[in-house]
Amino acid sequence: MTPTSTFGVNTMLSSKHFFLLPALLTLVAIILFPLLFTIRVSFSSWDVFQSGLDYIGGKNYGRVLADERFWQSLGRLSLLSLISVSLQYTLGFALALAVWKQVRGGRFLRVLFLIPMMTTPVVMSVIWRTVFHESLGPANDILGMFGIGAVPWLSSATGAFISVLIVEVWQWTPFMFLLLLAGLVSLPREPYLAAAIDGAGTWRTFWQVTFPLMAPITIGALIIRLIEASKIMDTVYVLTSGGPGTATETSSYYIYIRGLRDFQIGYSAALSLVYLVIMIVSLTVIAKLLLRLLVGKVG
Amino acid sequence: MKYRFTTSASVLAIIASSAVPVSAQDYTRFGIEQDLPGTCSYAATDAKDYSGRTLNIITHAIPVIGEPTALHAEQFAELTGAEVNVVHVPFGDLFQRIMIPFQSEQNAYDVMFYPSLWIGDFSRFLAPVPEAYVNSTGMMDVTPSFTGVATWNGEMIQYPMDGDRHYLKFRTDVFDNAEVQAQYLADTGNELTVPATWEEYNQVAAYFNASDWDGDGELNYGSAEVAKRDDLMFSAFISRAAPYAKHPDVQGGFFFDLETMEPLINTPGFVRGLELFIEAQASFPPGGTNFGLGDEIFSFGGGQTLMSYSWDDAYIQANQEDSRIRNMVAAAPLPGASEVWNRTTGAWDTFETPNRAPYMTWGWSSAVSSMSEEQEMGFDFLCFFSNEANAEHDMQIGRFGVNPYRNSHFDIDYWKGQGWADETAQTYVTTLSEMEESQNRVFDLRVPGVSQFMSSMANGVAEAMAGQKTAQDALDDVAQEWAEIADRIGKDRLRDAYANVVTLEDNEG
């Protein structure tokens, strides 16, 4: 390689880097800077009575480890996310299968199924709160028509947990439906022809052909929804405010209370980072397990 | 220096505007019945010229306080030529939206409207109210309680524009009904009277719970209370615990012992209050344990429940023209306690006449930022906002959230003029004005970090209400958290701030 050509390559690389610069700067501005700032804040005692970035070492992290309420909220969130995403997946898959084949009114149904996802969570939570209102809401009225007594939707721990679950499933099943339907539409026809020639029935075709072929999309859909579900905040805020007691208090709602209500900026930054690390680790593990379980099985 | 100049200028301007006879111009186009004389009347404000100047205001979302802010900002702009920008923020975000610019030393807003109990956090960022406004006609009429609420370390730094307190509301068509009284006596062996203690309140509520006592074909219930965590439930708990924990002969702190700054929140008086709050849940309407303030207003104001206690909103709603229970409600002091915890002797003291501890429940206030370059205009706006005509106008509209805070607001004829019956108006005025005279009032914990203390307390109370912990265990945990918060703030700093509250409670202010 001659010096001239080295110079040419270097020039080319430099100009390439130059063109990458806007994207890199954007990345730094929108991801790295807030993250680094949050890390810095988490080592400070920034609070309502103490502004500014002093340095208090790992005190905030020590508090997080001893914060029973945070860990309880994390456990509650895990349970809520796993149940709601499982239900969303099951229902979403069932609905996608229902409109996958040509059915009468298929287009109408597709639009209908997507409506919940397109509404604003806060607005829908307000409407659901009215639905679940125990003396004035329609939910208990309808149950009453069937002779079922009033259900304490929002005033009992179990009822409130189920109510949040119902709203989550109602709102986000369409997202699963959309992804899984897109996956179904893109499946190759040959395996189905082969299965038909082999005389496989509907049930067997589903388990032996459709389900394995859908595995990569399933994993993607589940992970995306788990990430989203782990951030649940607005539904809880409007529907139950985390109550009764702490029965529906999730991690993000708890961090909101500490950060924005109590104005414990340093401590809530530490909570957010611990939460972020836990989420990254647990979702990575879940993704690996799903890959092994679903794709590994195909292999 | 600049501040002194502007203050002096505003003093002169106010004196000048008060002295100059104003022409009897018609201001009814602004929605008031008539312009009332006063330092910051429509005519006086009309004489000012703020053309080319801008005032930035942050306030609560519409309607509560947000709607009158927007209304009076528009009027102020029209009268003075100023450009007035109003930012409306939901309650949950209001604190941080004001605090972040304060802490980062940005002059974001000239005027702020916010709950008065945040004074401990905001005090170092607020401009003192200039003497001219302290001596204005409107301010001179403000009751001592709300002058006290606006004062910090002997200096007025908040501008009073609302007066809030908790009191009891009940249905007179039930309590005054001879048949119902006879039936109650026959069934319980007790006279049906307006509850004088929280034990009586719970008993009456339980008796009338889940029965159609108003004969409309729907079930009625005993009590509507703000019991939803994070939705002002902390105030309901304070109302219930106050008479058991606020001993009239014990001075030096209700929430903390001022001397040691040890939390008192888990002492037997508070525990008793919480136990009775838990017991009362049995008389709530379905879902009542999840009632926020809006639900409570709707439940009592809509005729679903026999009794309630909180701010004025439900009372005003119940007495609006379109209400089916208009003039069927009356007001009374919050129930008291026959046994009061004496923390000095460590024993319960028995009271023949129940101990009352009226709770002056924060309420909205306003202030001008010390960083503002338009302090004079800011105070002029607040003075105009709360002028005599505007205050009377705003009090008539329940959703505005402006409640009596001046001596002249306790004029029974004014309320009867709104179509209220004698008993409805008389009990309302008497209840509110007598709270002013009480020597055993309770005020909010107006110290730095108040949100942390109240959030911790609400969580503990909610856990006990939900059966997750016993009342004692829940409040023990709250006390431990309060001690940790106090350590973070610094006990001396906390004591200095809390002394302002104790001064009011011990009637030293």
Side-chain angles (χ1 to χ4, degrees):
Chain A
M1 195 175 278
T2 64
T4 315
S5 63
T6 307
F7 176 76
V9 169
N10 285 344
T11 310
M12 198 169 70
L13 281 174
S14 299
S15 52
K16 270 186 182 175
H17 287 149
F18 179 76
F19 283 113
L20 279 174
L21 206 57
L24 283 171
L25 284 175
T26 309
L27 189 73
V28 168
I30 65 170
I31 298 178
L32 282 182
F33 174 72
L35 184 64
L36 293 174
F37 185 69
T38 307
I39 292 170
R40 175 63 189 91
V41 169
S42 74
F43 289 102
S44 76
S45 64
W46 189 355
D47 207 317
V48 66
F49 36 80
Q50 159 65 45
S51 57
L53 294 173
D54 57 348
Y55 181 74
I56 57 162
K59 268 189 186 173
N60 284 330
Y61 289 94
R63 269 183 75 193
V64 173
L65 291 177
D67 192 339
E68 204 180 324
R69 198 168 146 194
F70 172 68
W71 296 106
Q72 284 173 353
S73 71
L74 198 63
R76 208 172 287 120
L77 172 73
S78 308
L79 187 66
L80 185 71
S81 304
L82 289 174
I83 297 175
S84 74
V85 173
S86 303
L87 287 171
Q88 288 161 27
Y89 175 71
T90 310
L91 290 172
F93 209 160
L95 290 173
L97 285 169
V99 297
W100 177 31
K101 305 288 180 186
Q102 291 299 323
V103 291
R104 185 174 288 185
R107 281 188 180 178
F108 172 73
L109 288 174
R110 283 180 202 190
V111 174
L112 190 72
F113 292 156
L114 291 178
I115 287 174
M117 193 181 73
M118 293 189 283
T119 55
T120 313
V122 171
V123 175
M124 288 321 300
S125 299
V126 171
I127 292 173
W128 276 103
R129 192 178 63 184
T130 311
V131 170
F132 290 134
H133 197 288
E134 288 162 36
S135 51
L136 306 169
N140 277 346
D141 282 350
I142 293 167
L143 291 176
M145 288 176 197
F146 298 99
I148 301 170
V151 174
W153 291 108
L154 301 175
S155 56
S156 72
T158 312
F161 190 84
I162 291 171
S163 301
V164 173
L165 207 58
I166 289 172
V167 178
E168 272 291 285
V169 170
W170 177 85
Q171 179 116 43
W172 294 112
T173 295
F175 180 80
M176 283 289 192
F177 161 78
L178 194 67
L179 282 188
L180 296 169
L181 181 64
L184 286 171
V185 170
S186 65
L187 291 182
R189 295 188 62 182
E190 292 77 8
Y192 289 94
L193 290 172
I197 291 165
D198 288 348
T202 310
W203 193 241
R204 199 164 171 201
T205 305
F206 173 76
W207 281 113
Q208 299 292 327
V209 180
T210 310
F211 193 71
L213 286 174
M214 289 288 287
I217 293 163
T218 294
I219 294 168
L222 287 174
I223 294 297
I224 290 171
R225 270 309 303 146
L226 278 171
I227 292 170
E228 285 300 310
S230 68
K231 293 188 287 192
I232 181 172
M233 152 72 204
D234 29 22
T235 309
V236 171
Y237 175 76
V238 175
L239 211 58
T240 63
S241 291
T246 51
T248 54
E249 188 173 84
T250 58
S251 308
S252 40
Y253 185 64
Y254 178 64
I255 295 170
Y256 160 77
I257 290 173
R258 288 298 188 223
L260 299 185
R261 284 267 175 96
D262 295 1
F263 212 79
Q264 298 187 46
I265 305 295
Y267 182 54
S268 62
L271 282 169
S272 303
L273 289 169
V274 170
Y275 172 74
L276 179 69
V277 170
I278 291 171
M279 280 301 130
I280 290 171
V281 171
S282 56
L283 287 169
T284 307
V285 171
I286 289 171
K288 295 265 184 203
L289 284 174
L290 285 171
L291 266 173
R292 188 176 295 174
L293 194 73
L294 299 176
V295 181
K297 191 178 168 186
V298 179
Chain B
M1 192 65 186
K2 183 180 178 187
Y3 172 67
R4 276 189 190 170
F5 172 76
T6 49
T7 307
S8 309
S10 64
V11 172
L12 289 172
I14 284 179
I15 292 168
S17 63
S18 309
V20 174
V22 288
S23 60
Q25 210 175 329
D26 180 20
Y27 293 101
T28 54
R29 69 179 190 279
F30 290 108
I32 53 169
E33 284 179 24
Q34 58 170 331
D35 189 19
L36 296 174
T39 310
C40 297
S41 64
Y42 276 78
T45 306
D46 202 2
K48 292 175 187 292
D49 182 11
Y50 288 124
S51 303
R53 292 163 69 176
T54 304
L55 191 69
N56 293 309
I57 300 171
I58 184 166
T59 187
H60 187 233
I62 287 172
V64 176
I65 302 300
E67 195 170 340
T69 308
L71 174 69
H72 300 317
E74 198 180 323
Q75 294 164 341
F76 187 78
E78 192 177 330
L79 289 167
T80 65
E83 183 184 339
V84 185
N85 302 317
V86 181
V87 175
H88 296 273
V89 181
F91 191 84
D93 289 338
L94 189 57
F95 183 86
Q96 51 127 348
R97 287 287 297 272
I98 298 175
M99 196 58 171
I100 288 173
F102 274 161
Q103 287 199 343
S104 54
E105 296 179 2
Q106 293 171 40
N107 180 23
Y109 305 106
D110 301 296
V111 172
M112 286 81 53
F113 288 86
Y114 58 87
S116 62
L117 80 170
W118 295 348
I119 191 171
D121 292 312
F122 291 165
S123 58
R124 60 201 160 114
F125 305 108
L126 304 180
V129 179
E131 202 62 29
Y133 299 91
V134 173
N135 295 325
S136 64
T137 52
M139 195 71 84
M140 298 295 274
D141 193 26
V142 174
T143 69
S145 290
F146 296 105
T147 306
V149 163
T151 303
W152 192 254
N153 291 335
E155 191 170 39
M156 183 177 277
I157 57 170
Q158 291 187 152
Y159 209 103
M161 35 63 67
D162 177 35
D164 281 5
R165 65 288 271 172
H166 272 192
Y167 57 90
L168 176 66
K169 302 144 207 169
F170 61 94
R171 289 285 292 271
T172 50
D173 55 327
V174 174
F175 276 84
D176 295 347
N177 184 316
E179 276 181 39
V180 174
Q181 288 171 346
Q183 189 64 48
Y184 186 82
L185 180 64
D187 291 344
T188 66
N190 299 319
E191 298 280 350
L192 178 61
T193 52
V194 178
T197 65
W198 284 107
E199 284 89 347
E200 284 178 27
Y201 181 95
N202 283 5
Q203 286 160 13
V204 173
Y207 179 83
F208 287 99
N209 194 51
S211 63
D212 181 17
W213 40 256
D214 64 359
D216 67 351
E218 299 281 337
L219 285 181
N220 296 97
Y221 300 91
S223 175
E225 306 185 29
V226 180
K228 187 180 183 183
R229 198 192 79 172
D230 301 340
D231 198 345
L232 308 177
M233 177 258 261
F234 72 89
S235 291
F237 171 62
I238 293 171
S239 280
R240 276 186 164 271
Y244 299 93
K246 179 78 167 69
H247 197 295
D249 301 330
V250 176
Q251 299 204 320
F254 171 67
F255 292 108
F256 284 92
D257 181 330
L258 186 63
E259 211 173 293
T260 63
M261 288 313 288
E262 291 300 317
L264 302 171
I265 192 69
N266 59 340
T267 52
F270 282 98
V271 175
R272 176 75 62 86
L274 180 50
E275 285 168 348
L276 289 165
F277 200 7
I278 294 166
E279 181 188 283
Q281 292 180 104
S283 305
F284 289 176
T289 51
N290 198 42
F291 272 13
L293 179 60
D295 301 302
E296 182 261 349
I297 294 167
F298 192 73
S299 179
F300 180 79
Q304 187 187 32
T305 40
L306 179 73
M307 296 181 291
S308 182
Y309 63 94
S310 73
W311 293 266
D312 295 59
D313 314 73
Y315 200 76
I316 304 286
Q317 162 133 348
N319 287 308
Q320 281 179 346
E321 272 182 52
D322 56 350
S323 168
R324 68 187 179 92
I325 59 166
R326 190 176 205 208
N327 293 323
M328 286 190 232
V329 299
L334 283 176
S338 297
E339 281 191 316
V340 185
W341 180 252
N342 185 329
R343 67 179 166 84
T344 310
T345 61
W348 289 96
D349 288 345
T350 306
F351 284 66
E352 205 166 303
T353 305
N355 174 49
R356 309 272 185 169
Y359 175 29
M360 312 308 281
T361 322
W362 51 282
W364 290 90
S365 196
S366 57
V368 173
S369 165
S370 59
M371 281 179 276
S372 168
E373 291 177 358
E374 292 290 2
Q375 291 186 16
E376 181 197 347
M377 182 162 49
F379 282 114
D380 266 343
F381 170 71
L382 292 177
C383 193
F384 169 74
F385 179 104
S386 57
N387 76 22
E388 287 76 356
N390 284 340
E392 282 201 3
H393 170 269
D394 295 349
M395 280 194 305
Q396 293 172 37
I397 302 169
R399 67 176 186 277
F400 276 19
V402 176
N403 303 125
Y405 61 99
R406 288 188 175 132
N407 293 309
S408 57
H409 296 164
F410 300 131
D411 174 10
I412 188 170
D413 291 332
Y414 169 76
W415 296 102
K416 283 163 77 173
Q418 310 304 317
W420 289 16
D422 279 356
E423 188 182 7
T424 302
Q426 184 65 61
T427 55
Y428 178 71
V429 167
T430 306
T431 301
L432 267 54
S433 55
E434 282 182 355
M435 287 175 78
E436 289 291 328
E437 289 154 24
S438 169
Q439 297 297 298
N440 199 33
R441 293 167 301 171
V442 166
F443 289 83
D444 284 291
L445 182 61
R446 302 164 350 116
V447 294
V450 60
S451 299
Q452 293 179 26
F453 288 111
M454 292 301 108
S455 167
S456 162
M457 186 174 78
N459 188 60
V461 172
E463 285 178 322
M465 301 271 282
Q468 293 174 326
K469 288 178 183 170
T470 65
Q472 183 70 63
D473 287 348
L475 293 182
D476 283 347
D477 289 348
V478 173
Q480 190 187 332
E481 201 174 347
W482 279 27
E484 287 165 10
I485 300 168
D487 284 342
R488 287 203 300 275
I489 296 172
K491 280 189 177 176
D492 290 339
R493 185 176 175 182
L494 190 63
R495 183 185 293 107
D496 288 347
Y498 188 51
N500 281 287
V501 185
V502 175
T503 299
L504 291 174
E505 288 177 346
D506 292 351
N507 306 294
E508 291 166 354

